[in-house]
Amino acid sequence: MPYQSDRDWWVPALHGVAAVLFGVLALAWPQLTVLALTVLFGAYVLVDGVVALCGAFVARGRAAGDRVWVALRGLAGIAAGLVTLLWPAITTLALLYLIAAWAAVVGVVEIVAAIRRRRQLRHEWLLGLSGLLAVVFAVLLVVWPAAGALALVTLIGAYAIVFGVLALALAFQFRRQHREVGRMNGRARHTSATA
């Protein structure tokens, strides 16, 4: 979710909606088979990756270095999604490590973005917290690989919902900030026109 400015509010909103939907589906069916979890995860990260990649090139005013980080996140999601969708018979352990690798990339990118953008973004702590959550999630998956399928589905579903809620909170903050800037610019134009 590394975003350039409040104009990008739609990107975390899409990330958040996709994550919450994935998390709810994962928790609603706790007896998901590894195949179903694989397909569900693949679809989620593929959408997440496409949104991030689009955000890297659509957002106005993004510096080249920022585009690289956002594109990296998008490519990681697309790669993870394609691997899981093209290899649906992936083993549980391989799926677990794939999810952990994807979450680690997402977390690092978001932490870097929060640090780099702390002066431009008002609520960069939400972005940093989201990144930290992703890194902790990745570490938990690697540390407890034998937690069992039900525990894995529950952990992944809970992570996705919390991640999604943080993304939606960031999107709402960005949208509010974007509206405030628009109102201030409108007043400034009105004042200069009447002067």
Side-chain angles (χ1 to χ4, degrees):
M1 262 186 314
Y3 316 111
Q4 172 71 15
S5 70
D6 55 10
R7 293 175 297 199
D8 297 343
W9 66 267
W10 59 273
V11 179
L14 287 176
H15 283 297
V17 168
V20 169
L21 286 175
F22 171 73
V24 167
L25 287 173
L27 293 179
W29 291 311
Q31 281 74 27
L32 274 176
T33 64
V34 172
L35 177 62
L37 178 63
T38 301
V39 171
L40 199 57
F41 172 75
Y44 163 63
V45 295
L46 188 60
V47 169
D48 185 78
V50 168
V51 169
L53 201 55
C54 288
F57 298 104
V58 172
R60 296 169 287 185
R62 188 179 300 278
D66 294 330
R67 286 182 193 272
V68 170
W69 284 102
V70 178
L72 175 66
R73 181 214 166 119
L75 291 173
I78 290 170
L82 289 176
V83 166
T84 55
L85 292 174
L86 295 175
W87 186 22
I90 192 171
T91 64
T92 306
L93 190 60
L95 176 64
L96 183 108
Y97 288 137
L98 183 64
I99 294 171
W102 168 80
V105 169
V106 168
V108 168
V109 168
E110 291 187 357
I111 290 169
V112 168
I115 292 168
R116 288 180 58 130
R117 293 282 161 214
R118 67 186 177 278
R119 290 196 174 106
Q120 288 89 6
L121 303 177
R122 285 189 194 169
H123 302 281
E124 78 284 350
W125 67 271
L126 284 170
L127 189 56
L129 180 61
S130 178
L132 181 62
L133 174 69
V135 170
V136 168
F137 174 67
V139 169
L140 287 176
L141 289 179
V142 172
V143 170
W144 292 318
L150 182 59
L152 177 63
V153 171
T154 303
L155 180 63
I156 292 169
Y159 162 76
I161 290 172
V162 172
F163 180 83
V165 167
L166 285 173
L168 287 169
L170 188 62
F172 289 125
Q173 293 298 331
F174 277 4
R175 186 175 168 103
R176 182 179 302 135
Q177 183 176 335
H178 183 67
R179 286 182 174 172
E180 288 172 10
V181 168
R183 279 194 294 267
M184 288 188 311
N185 288 341
R187 284 187 204 131
R189 279 192 297 267
H190 179 69
T191 304
S192 64
T194 56

